[in-house]
Amino acid sequence: MANTSAAASTGTAAPDGTRRDFMFLATGAGLAVGVGAVAWPFVASMAPDAATIAAGAPIDVDLTPITDGQIVNVFWRGKLIFVRKLTEKEVTDMKAIPESQLSDPAPFGARVKKGHDQWLVVYGNCTHLGCVPIGHQGNFEGWACPCHGSQFDAVGRVRRGPAPINLPIPPYSFQTDAKIRIGEEAKAAA
């Protein structure tokens, strides 16, 4: 009370109301910032991280520098993919193989995209135990698994050994004649 009478005798208003308002505002602002700082990690944890987003994202592969007979290795979703440009001889030879000679019958046309017979895109792991077969090895112009002896022809069809099925084909589409997108099938025409 002494402060009130002193302020009345000097004719100035007491600053208590102003200080009280300031303290309420400062406390409220500090509390809002604190709540935001505590809530931010919880909100941010609900969004997928960059590695997860990138893991499922399609990749583009430029086919221009790949020469006839060359095999290029790329990775999509952490898996090895072989991109191979078949020679004219390989295309002719692979088309001529009767399905009755294949362990896992698949016609040539089912292994490549229509109109792009010279391009093969397959997963790069043996279907027996997941070893990485070596290109241009074996008796069939394709791949040979050094671990257990499986052999694949130039379009990834199993021809010999313990591998039970052909090298699988990942989802992919031609964006142009010189570029493919692995991880995305071609969109159907409407």
Side-chain angles (χ1 to χ4, degrees):
M1 267 252 190
N3 287 342
T4 309
S5 61
S9 64
T10 60
T12 60
D16 289 342
T18 305
R19 285 186 194 147
R20 187 176 304 126
D21 291 343
F22 173 76
M23 290 304 290
F24 281 132
L25 287 173
T27 303
L31 185 61
V33 169
V35 168
V38 169
W40 181 258
F42 294 112
V43 172
S45 71
M46 291 184 223
D49 68 349
T52 302
I53 293 169
I59 61 167
D60 291 335
V61 178
D62 181 12
L63 303 175
T64 307
I66 304 173
T67 60
D68 288 350
Q70 184 179 5
I71 301 169
V72 174
N73 301 336
V74 297
F75 288 89
W76 173 65
R77 290 188 171 178
K79 294 181 181 175
L80 176 63
I81 307 283
F82 294 143
V83 178
R84 181 176 184 158
K85 185 173 185 182
L86 302 167
T87 64
E88 288 183 34
K89 181 184 181 315
E90 288 172 333
V91 170
T92 303
D93 291 350
M94 294 301 107
K95 285 181 176 180
I97 295 172
E99 288 185 53
S100 61
Q101 291 183 6
L102 302 172
S103 302
D104 182 14
F108 176 84
R111 305 292 296 161
V112 297
K113 298 285 184 183
K114 186 176 181 179
H116 299 281
D117 288 356
Q118 75 275 26
W119 294 106
L120 175 73
V121 180
V122 293
Y123 284 106
N125 295 95
C126 180
T127 55
H128 175 233
L129 291 176
C131 304
V132 177
I134 300 170
H136 301 291
Q137 298 292 314
N139 301 329
F140 303 100
E141 304 175 30
W143 289 270
C145 180
C147 304
H148 305 103
S150 294
Q151 293 187 25
F152 301 87
D153 65 17
V155 289
R157 298 178 294 196
V158 64
R159 300 294 300 276
R160 181 179 295 158
I165 60 173
N166 301 327
L167 295 176
I169 299 171
Y172 76 99
S173 62
F174 278 84
Q175 303 300 299
T176 67
D177 284 341
K179 183 171 98 174
I180 60 171
R181 178 167 290 158
I182 298 174
E184 183 176 279
E185 289 287 347
K187 294 176 177 68

